[in-house]
Amino acid sequence: MRRRRFLARAAGLSGAGALALSGCGSGGDGDAVTLDVLLAGYDGTVGTSIEKRWDAAVRAFEKKHPAITVKVERVPFLKLDATLARRVKDGRAPDISEGNFFAPYAEDGLLHSADQLFDVPVQANFITSFADAGKVDSVQYGLPTQASAPRLFYNKALFEQAGLTSAPASWAELRSCAEALRGIGVATPYALTFGPEAAEDELLAWLLAGDGGYASLSGYDFAAVENVSTLTWLRDKLVVPGLAGADPAKLTRTQAYAEFLKGRAGMLLAHPVLLSAAGQAGLKFATAPFPKRDGDGAAPPVGLNDWLMAFRQNGRLSAAQTFLTFLFTSPAARTYGSDTGTLPATVSDSEELEEDGAQRALWPFVHQLPDAEFHPVGLRSWATVRGAVRQRIGQAVAPGGSPGRVLEALDSLGSSASG
C-alpha cells in the first residue's frame, strides 16, 4: 500500500514535469494550437452523462491552458471505429481519439507510445491490468479511460416475488433462479446479450467463468474444450428452455438494459453505467460477482474501457502531452463517477474513489479492476475477429446450433486474419 500511495502522490506532482516537457516542440503553452479530438457520442442513451463529463474536462483544461484549443468531434459510439479508420486511411487522423482498437495503428507506426506522452510516475499510475492490455509488443499505446468491470445485476423485487433470497453463486443456481423468474411471468429471466452490439463482452464473461477464454499463449483458442462446454451449457440449459429471452442472437446490450429498467428482465451482466439509470427508474436491484460454473468463487471479471490513442501525423506531440497529462492527473478533468457509471483506470483515483462515501455504489466494481481480464485488443486481427463474434456467436447457442463448429470457424478466421 505504501508504494501505491507513493505513486499516487507522485502522479499528482508529475504534471509539472510533463508540462515542462511540453515546452519543447510544437504546441507548447506558448504556441497557439488546436487539438483535434475524436470522441464517442451517446445520443440520449444511458451514456449521455459521459459527454457532459468530457465537456467539463475540456473547459477546465482550456481555462488552465488558454493557448491550446480542444476541438471535439463526436461520432455515435457504434460508428466510432469505422469513422476513425476512414479518417486515418484518408490522411486525416485526429490528434487524439477514442476507440476500441489501437493495435493496427500502433503496428503501422502511427501512434505515440505512453512513455513518449507521460512522465514515468503518470504512466506507472495506470492500473497494471489495464496498462498491460494497452500494449503491443510490450509497449503501451492504448491509454485506458472510463474503465469498467461488469457485474451480475438482478431485480430484487422480482427475486422476492419468485421466493428467491440471494444472487446465484453457480450456474446451476443461476438456472434455478431463471426458472423461478419464468414461473412468475418474467419474459427474460436472464438477458443473454449475444446480439450485434457487445456480444464479445457477454461471451468472454461466460468463457472465463467456465475456465476458458479467447486465447492461449499460441494465439486464438476459441475451440478449447472448456469453451465448447460453456456454450453447450448455455444452449441446453438457458436458451433452449426459453430462460434467456426470445432470441439472444438479436438481443443487444442497449435493449437488455431497457428491458431490465422496465422490470421485464430479471438478471443480466451489466456495467456500472446501469446503476444511475436503475436508481432513477426506482428499481429495487442489487449486484453480485458473476459466478463460476461450479460455484467455487467469483469468475475473473471482464476488463473493459475506452482506449485513447495519440496520433503522430499532425506533429502536435507537445500539446497532446499537456492535454493527456492534465486528463489523467487533474481532479477537474475526471470523466468517471457515479453519474457516468464509469470507473478510473489509475491507482490513485481508484483509491480516492474507494474512500468517497458518495461513490459507495461503485466500490464493488472498483475492487474487481486489478483482476480484470481483457479481449485480445493487442492483436491486429481482433477487429476482424470481434466482428465475427458479434455476427456468429448467437448461432452457437440457438436450438440445434453447434458450439464446436462456430468456435472452430472463429479460430480459423483468427489464424487467417493474423497471417
Side-chain angles (χ1 to χ4, degrees), residues 235 240 395-403 405:
R235 181 194 64 190
V240 171
Q395 304 167 15
V397 298
S402 173
R405 189 175 301 120

Side-chain angles (χ1 to χ4, degrees), residues 29-169:
D29 279 352
D31 305 315
V33 64
T34 297
L35 276 176
D36 183 10
V37 179
L38 185 66
L39 300 175
Y42 296 92
D43 194 25
T45 67
V46 292
T48 303
S49 55
I50 296 174
E51 295 184 13
K52 296 179 180 178
R53 283 291 187 112
W54 266 110
D55 290 342
V58 169
R59 286 195 300 269
F61 173 77
E62 290 182 334
K63 183 177 181 180
K64 186 176 179 64
H65 302 281
I68 303 177
T69 299
V70 179
K71 179 184 176 183
V72 173
E73 176 187 352
R74 284 199 169 88
V75 176
F77 178 79
L78 293 179
K79 297 180 180 180
L80 179 61
D81 293 317
T83 300
L84 176 59
R86 184 172 61 253
R87 286 191 53 173
V88 171
K89 182 179 180 181
D90 292 344
R92 299 183 298 110
D95 298 305
I96 296 169
S97 180
E98 268 186 294
N100 291 294
F101 310 113
F102 56 84
Y105 306 122
E107 290 185 358
D108 290 344
L110 302 180
L111 300 181
H112 291 294
S113 61
D115 59 352
Q116 292 173 323
L117 294 164
F118 302 117
D119 282 353
V120 171
V122 181
Q123 185 179 358
N125 196 33
F126 287 114
I127 295 171
T128 301
S129 58
F130 284 80
D132 288 345
K135 293 179 178 180
V136 174
D137 294 331
S138 301
V139 178
Q140 183 183 354
Y141 294 94
L143 313 176
T145 183
Q146 296 165 184
S148 183
R151 289 167 62 84
L152 182 71
F153 281 64
Y154 61 100
N155 186 314
K156 291 182 69 176
L158 293 178
F159 265 52
E160 290 170 4
Q161 291 178 36
L164 302 169
T165 59
S166 62

Side-chain angles (χ1 to χ4, degrees), residues 207-411:
L207 297 187
L208 291 173
D211 293 325
Y214 280 165
S216 65
L217 293 177
S218 58
Y220 291 107
D221 195 17
F222 282 100
V225 173
E226 295 85 356
N227 294 344
V228 174
S229 177
T230 291
L231 292 187
T232 301
W233 188 94
L234 283 172
R235 181 194 64 190
D236 297 343
K237 302 299 183 181
L238 280 189
V239 178
V240 171
L243 301 175
D247 189 355
K250 295 181 179 178
L251 184 63
T252 68
R253 183 165 61 196
T254 298
Q255 292 167 340
Y257 284 10
E259 291 298 292
F260 185 76
L261 293 174
K262 294 175 183 176
R264 297 175 184 170
M267 298 178 286
L268 79 168
L269 187 72
H271 298 280
V273 71
L274 190 57
L275 290 171
S276 178
Q280 293 175 13
L283 209 63
K284 187 177 181 181
F285 72 98
T287 74
F290 199 71
K292 294 191 72 173
R293 180 169 190 158
D294 297 324
D296 53 340
V302 177
L304 298 168
N305 58 271
D306 293 337
W307 295 108
L308 292 178
M309 59 199 96
F311 284 86
R312 302 165 58 94
Q313 177 182 310
N314 302 316
R316 300 187 183 120
L317 171 59
S318 180
Q321 289 172 330
T322 305
F323 178 65
L324 290 169
T325 296
F326 180 84
L327 191 68
F328 286 107
T329 61
S330 173
R334 288 175 180 162
T335 56
Y336 62 86
S338 57
D339 59 333
T340 65
T342 57
L343 310 174
T346 62
V347 172
S348 58
D349 284 342
S350 295
E351 290 179 343
E352 189 167 326
L353 188 150
E354 290 180 280
E355 295 171 355
D356 183 356
Q359 306 282 357
R360 186 178 300 274
L362 294 179
W363 291 356
F365 295 88
V366 176
H367 294 162
Q368 298 181 143
L369 296 182
D371 299 319
E373 298 194 23
F374 292 78
H375 304 301
V377 291
L379 296 178
R380 187 185 190 97
S381 58
W382 173 238
T384 300
V385 175
R386 189 192 75 162
V389 168
R390 291 180 170 184
Q391 295 299 321
R392 303 178 188 179
I393 203 61
Q395 304 167 15
V397 298
S402 173
R405 189 175 301 120
V406 171
L407 293 173
E408 287 169 2
L410 290 173
D411 275 335

